[in-house]
């Protein structure tokens, strides 16, 4: 049974309740990894992560590590236990950078607003830069280090040319790296260091240069969602409902998740949730229904958290609206 079917059957809610968001992306191996880290079982985590060599899969599992509470309190034991390994430093740096994701993803305001709203933001970025910089120096081929160093760039502590250097380094190692492209898209949006035109040019260019079936198609969905969130409510609804927006989303999906060459990998719900959200907002009921059917109940926090304070409830609301009225 494929990824899609297995996850839908395992995660069906009961009695019409909203689905429950899984911090492990509905991946059994990720659940085992998170459990090991919660129990401070770093030997198991080290052995598992050493086997994950695909750069996109590695980025997904590092994101799971980044969401484990309390990891910074004990990871020094792992570092001391494997002094020759860069892996515990990579996990520590990813966790420090991942902690700042909420701050980076906050409304407009940049580093100053993030530092004010989230005490410890600057210190975490400094820790992430130090750990990840050491990993990159000792192992220049570690895509995870360069990707999370790129994430740190949104903290405003590096020049634009350095942010681009970090991105280009990832591309040299893995041209289709999804997480790195998403970090650079965020860097180029108006909330941070770019503008709408620059953001869309980057997203469309990356998709055009990607092979058919690449998950990079979601960059176009991300860009339209970012544009939607940047506008006042009335203008936002008018924008996302434009025919050219629906056409753009469909073209990106046709090149990506709807292409026969597409194959889901670990973390696949994130890609399909992004398209489902964009299609639903755009009023493209047939395309949205297709995505909701594939997703089943594998809802992710993002981007539904942009629609309401309870992302699972927002997912259920829009899914029901699509099913009932066609948006």
């Amino acid at each position: 049974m494929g990824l899609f079917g297995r996850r839908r059957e395992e995660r069906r809610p009961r009695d019409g309740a909203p689905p429950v968001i899984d911090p492990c992306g509905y991946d059994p191996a990720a659940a085992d990894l998170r459990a090991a880290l919660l129990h401070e079982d770093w030997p198991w985590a080290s052995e598992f992560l050493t086997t994950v060599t695909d750069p996109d899969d590695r980025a997904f599992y590092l994101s799971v590590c980044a969401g484990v509470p309390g990891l910074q309190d004990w990871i020094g034991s792992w570092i001391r236990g494997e002094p020759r390994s860069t892996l515990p430093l990579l996990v520590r740096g990813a966790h420090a950078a991942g902690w700042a994701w909420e701050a980076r993803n906050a409304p407009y305001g940049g580093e100053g607003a993030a530092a004010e709203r989230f005490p410890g933001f600057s210190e975490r970025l400094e820790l992430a830069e130090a750990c990840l910089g050491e990993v990159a120096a000792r192992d220049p081929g570690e895509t995870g280090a360069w990707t999370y160093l790129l994430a740190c760039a949104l903290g405003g502590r590096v020049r634009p040319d350095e942010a681009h250097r970090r991105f280009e380094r990832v591309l040299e190692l893995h041209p289709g790296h999804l997480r790195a492209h998403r970090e650079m898209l965020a860097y180029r949006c108006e909330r941070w260091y770019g503008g709408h035109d620059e953001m869309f040019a980057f997203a469309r260019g990356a998709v055009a240069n990607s092979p058919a079936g690449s998950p990079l198609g979601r960059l176009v969905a991300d860009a339209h969602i970012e544009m939607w969130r940047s506008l006042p409510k009335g203008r936002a609804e008018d924008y996302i409902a434009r025919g050219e927006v629906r056409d753009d989303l469909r073209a990106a999906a046709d090149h990506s998740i709807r292409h026969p060459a597409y194959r889901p990998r670990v973390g696949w719900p994130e890609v399909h949730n992004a398209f489902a959200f964009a299609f639903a907002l755009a009023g493209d009921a047939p395309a949205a229904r297709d995505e909701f059917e594939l997703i089943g109940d594998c809802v992710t926090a993002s981007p539904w958290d942009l629609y309401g304070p309870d992302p699972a409830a927002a997912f259920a609301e829009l899914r029901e609206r699509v099913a009932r009225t066609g948006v």
Side-chain angles (χ1 to χ4, degrees):
M1 185 179 294
L3 282 172
F4 291 134
R6 183 172 68 249
R7 297 298 170 263
R8 284 206 305 273
E9 291 174 2
E10 291 176 354
R11 301 292 175 174
R12 184 67 59 184
R14 298 178 179 178
D15 302 324
V20 177
I21 297 173
D22 183 355
C24 301
Y26 310 91
D27 179 72
D32 290 342
L33 174 62
R34 180 178 170 86
L37 292 174
L38 286 171
H39 288 88
E40 303 180 19
D41 186 357
W42 61 261
W44 190 97
S46 179
E47 182 177 359
F48 171 75
L49 288 171
T50 300
T51 69
V52 181
T53 57
D54 178 86
D56 285 307
D57 293 353
R58 196 165 176 82
F60 168 74
Y61 288 115
L62 282 173
S63 73
V64 172
C65 298
V68 174
L71 182 140
Q72 296 291 344
D73 297 335
W74 60 265
I75 198 169
S77 299
W78 184 358
I79 295 172
R80 291 189 295 273
E82 294 189 320
R84 296 183 180 181
S85 173
T86 59
L87 187 55
L89 284 172
L90 176 62
V91 171
R92 187 178 196 182
H95 187 273
W99 181 89
W101 176 257
E102 184 180 1
R104 298 198 317 270
N105 212 29
Y108 289 73
E111 182 190 11
E116 181 178 347
R117 291 184 58 194
F118 301 93
F121 174 73
S122 297
E123 292 78 5
R124 289 290 181 129
L125 284 178
E126 290 175 1
L127 174 62
E129 284 272 355
C131 292
L132 298 167
E134 182 175 344
V135 175
R138 290 168 57 183
D139 184 4
E142 174 56 72
T143 56
W146 292 107
T147 299
Y148 275 93
L149 280 169
L150 179 59
C152 292
L154 277 92
R157 295 184 176 277
V158 301
R159 293 169 53 88
D161 58 347
E162 172 60 16
H164 288 283
R165 185 186 76 85
R166 296 176 181 186
F167 179 62
E168 291 299 324
R169 181 58 183 146
V170 178
L171 296 192
E172 291 173 6
L173 297 167
H174 186 58
H177 200 289
L178 178 58
R179 174 97 188 203
H181 277 84
R182 293 198 64 223
E183 295 290 355
M184 182 51 73
L185 183 73
Y187 190 87
R188 292 176 183 241
C189 78
E190 189 175 86
R191 278 188 303 136
W192 291 97
Y193 308 111
H196 295 318
D197 291 343
E198 182 181 351
M199 173 182 68
F200 277 108
F202 174 77
R204 291 172 180 143
V207 175
N209 291 323
S210 67
S214 167
L216 288 181
R218 77 160 292 182
L219 296 176
V220 171
D222 288 339
H224 284 297
I225 292 168
E226 177 65 28
M227 185 71 176
W228 166 80
R229 74 175 294 195
S230 74
L231 297 170
K233 183 176 181 181
R235 289 179 57 198
E237 293 174 351
D238 290 342
Y239 165 79
I240 203 71
R242 292 176 183 173
E244 57 266 33
V245 172
R246 290 195 298 272
D247 291 343
D248 204 22
L249 290 170
R250 286 193 168 204
D254 288 343
H255 181 75
S256 179
I257 58 170
R258 302 200 301 199
H259 194 278
Y262 171 70
R263 297 292 183 272
R265 303 187 67 92
V266 294
W268 66 265
E270 296 179 354
V271 178
H272 288 272
N273 274 259
F275 270 110
F277 185 73
F279 280 135
L281 290 181
D284 192 337
R289 278 195 293 268
D290 287 346
E291 292 309 306
F292 281 123
E293 175 62 24
L294 283 171
I295 291 166
D297 295 301
C298 297
V299 58
T300 54
S302 176
W304 307 99
D305 54 356
L306 300 177
Y307 193 79
D310 183 341
F315 171 87
E317 176 186 335
L318 284 175
R319 179 173 62 179
E320 175 62 23
R321 186 187 304 176
V322 166
R324 185 179 66 249
T325 66
V327 185

